[in-house]
Amino acid sequence: MSSSSYVGGVSGGPARDYSGFFVLPAAPAQRQLWFLCQLDPASNAAYNVVSAVRLTGRLDPVLLQRALNDVVARHESLRTGIGLVDGEPRQVVVPHTLVSLPVVQGDVQDHAREQAAIPFTLDEPPLLRVVLVRESRDLHTLVVVIHHVACDGWSTEVFYRDLADAYRALLGGGPARPEPPIQYADYVAWLEESLAGEPMRELVAHWRGALSGTTPLALPVDRPRGTARRMAGGRLELVLDAAEVAGLDALAAGWSATRFMVLLTAFKVALARVTGQDDVAVGTPVAGRHHPDAEELIGFFANTLVLRTRLPLAEGFGAAVAAVRHTCLEAFTHQRMPFDRLVEEMRQPRVLDRNPLFDVMFSLQDTPSFAVELPELTMTPVELVTTSAKFELWLTVLPHADGLLLRLDHDRDLYDTDTAHAVLDLYRRVLTEVRRDPDAVSGTLPKADDAERAVVESWATGPHRTVPDGTVLDLLGNAVVREGGVELSSAELRARAAELADLLREEGIGGPDVVVATPPVTSTALVVAALAVFEVGAVLSFGERHPRDGAFVKRRGDDWVITTGPRFDPTGPSAPGPDSPAWRAGAVFSHRALLAAVTALADRLALTPADDVVLLAGTSPDLVDVLLALTSARALVIGADGAPDGAFVVAPPPTWRRVLTEGWTPPAGARLVCRGTVVADDLVRMLDRTGHPVLVGRDTPTSAAPVGLGPDGAPLANTTRRLLDGTGAPVPIGTVGELHLAGPAVAGSGSDGSAATATGERYRYSRRGDLRFVGYADERLVAGDHLVVPSRIEGVLTGVEGVRSAAVVAGEVGGATRLVGWLVLDGARAAGSPREHDEFAATVRTRALAALPAHEVPEAFGVVPELPRLADGAVDRAALVALAALRGQSLLGAVDATPPRNRVERVVVAIFKDTLPVQEFGVHADFFALGGHSMLAARVIGRVRDQLGVLVPVRDFFRRPTAAGLAEAVAALENDRARGPADKATAVRGQLDGMTDKEVEQLLRQLG
């Protein structure tokens, strides 16, 4: 194999002529890294491989310079860059080049940091930079920087060995090394040939099965992920002594595992504890030097494996080791799969702020550092403190004397040092407890120690406040109710409620066994209905129709309409007590629970009779918010219009999102309260941007009061909350446990509020004691600002004739998270054509809309022969989420059909069709959901530049990967280009305006 030349290629950046270069195919790893640097140019320097060796003794810098260039001449990869040629990233190799060796003085670490921070221009080889730091006459340090596209960790040792051999030969101490039998480009050609056809098909089939349904880890970041990463790294280290390592090695032998497997298992268990997920995927680097002549080559051979394990956390640690052992054996057996090809095949939705397939790396380095003896000179490695964060977290285990060094590199833009240290310390604690008790249940590792238990217990209980005895009606104050310019006094409100209560009694509606539903619309009518239902001793519910064994009441004009299920006999007065049921909202809450919730909220808000409470109209209010105003405030104002200054403005997340999107401005001095079962981070940021004080509370169906409210996140009055593991023990700080609540506002807590109730929700404590929501322990999932229960939707879908079974997941479709309904059709329907399936999906959706709220109805559907199942028979929902991403726009009902609307969109759509396997789509269809991947994206951008004359940054395309989005980016660049000369002319005119006539004459003479 040999390197062939290529003349006349043009790169994807500014026009560049490669006629003086060899142009060769790039390796898969090089293509992937080139694309990452295009996607985020700021990351370029993060992929600089920086190393250094100390040269002790008599050094001839001139001979070292010559030796350096001998090594560059020997290895083609050191003369290689990566450029875009005909829409493909390729190796561009300069035939000959010289590398300078500047000699400097100063601190070695400072010079290393300075050199590491300088990015390379990837298509301008050589991607190699060196400096020689003179520390004294007989002590020098050589700092070497090579971009990762040209080398890997193994290559640095090859580089220094070859450099030493070349220096020795120049001194006359040995023969020059022979030319290597192959060059890196030959290896790339061999790799492509060896993986073609059936070997690649087998690899793809294995990895699709192994990684289908992989979900990102809910890592404990301190700051939200942004679209731009500086990749600034921090580093922490801990040491395991010889005794600890010997104990772990003995356990590994007993489990027929390697040291790597046991250390990795402990890391996965630690990650499971901080994320609350038992399905954990991490990456690990492998050498990738499969060719027999590749060991002595410099180049980017390293590949990345994804090690994905479903951990049996309810079993002993040995079972987890067995699962990880299986993962490792399977992965290393199939390690020749290039990672960039794997990313393309998995077709996961690409996001700018996360790595594909995994966020965390783990590696074990078990080779000692090299040292080379030269005539009158010794070459030894130097440990550098420079680091970059290529991944969110990277744990490396290295030899250290007779023990091991645990090194955790972390992204400082995401993690505080204390948080990263807590993760590393947690890992160390897992290892310690496993040595002490190898049979410990993985899901309980590590256990909270006495000090932690005392700290979390101090965070568990809110302040004590006296809860009034009696019912909601007993606590009503003198608040007025205003809606649309109409005001009701407290007396008028009570009179209207009494009038409706009489009507309910005439219909026989009353007592704790009757549920009365009223439309979930924030209004005065709802307030009146609630008080009337309480007066007759019945239970209130929000809904669109009457319960089967209850009644439905709504206001129509000036009259009340009351419908019932069974016919009731007229009933007399029924006086509810504190423990009588009052409100059904998932759980059933008593009057005592409602009063406890109102007391807690009023206490947290410091609400006084001089305050006003505004309920924004839109979605259904929380009953406690209504009662809060009626019992503790001056006025309850319904609707945004007429909201008084300084009021507490209260609304659930969907209403807040609507009014803020529509541009509503809160009144002066308003305090904004957002409460809901789902509170998205982007909505919190929208609220914060108003400049008003914001209090956010996350609700849970088991409590009438929110889990927390306000910036400090402390428990509300009379509430106790604990995070417990599966055995009922408190979890350590920073790890995930299920939230258990107790208190008078909690359903199922008993009359004294002492019994704890599991919420099915997972949280972890921050170091300050804040609760951080992580996810759900049950089937609930998030759809926009709503929480939905899939089984409820699936029951409706399977009720449609022709649907044998169904499953609902939240999948990534077209760049957004949407509900996707997966259908297994009966025999006749299953045999239908794709068009018939599409028409049937529309029918299913129509039926679902008639039975469910709009936010619970899937936006897209897919048909499968059978639902995928886990080993225990449960539906593999993660696999269905991955399938939704894979199917993308081919899902039934998901294809955008908007035609091109202008010249640029027509050009871009034509380029898409030439590039993608799908031919029918609209301008809003997602490029990646249509089958695109990173290399195709680079090809599209190159075609756009060739046909439209502008270069769209890769990052801009990824932000909006649609034909419409790319066309807008093109138009914006065209406008900038057109505006440029005019802006310059304006600037010149401004400069001339400030000159005197004499200065203008002098300028004209200078210009000739």
Side-chain angles (χ1 to χ4, degrees), residues 112-136:
R113 278 190 291 269
E114 178 184 349
Q115 295 299 318
I118 302 172
F120 287 101
T121 301
L122 292 187
D123 59 352
E124 293 183 1
L127 307 183
L128 165 67
R129 187 166 54 242
V130 293
V131 295
L132 182 65
V133 183
R134 187 179 189 277
E135 299 179 75
S136 68

Side-chain angles (χ1 to χ4, degrees), residues 494-554:
R494 291 171 185 266
R496 290 196 181 186
E499 179 183 354
L500 177 56
D502 289 339
L503 294 176
L504 293 175
R505 293 191 187 98
E506 289 176 7
E507 294 290 333
I509 298 168
D513 298 326
V514 178
V515 176
V516 180
T518 191
V521 178
T522 308
S523 63
T524 303
L526 181 142
V527 178
V528 172
L531 297 182
V533 171
F534 293 158
E535 190 168 327
V536 300
V539 180
L540 178 71
S541 176
F542 295 156
E544 298 291 346
R545 57 186 61 84
H546 68 74
R548 184 171 300 172
D549 57 349
F552 181 76
V553 57
K554 67 179 295 185

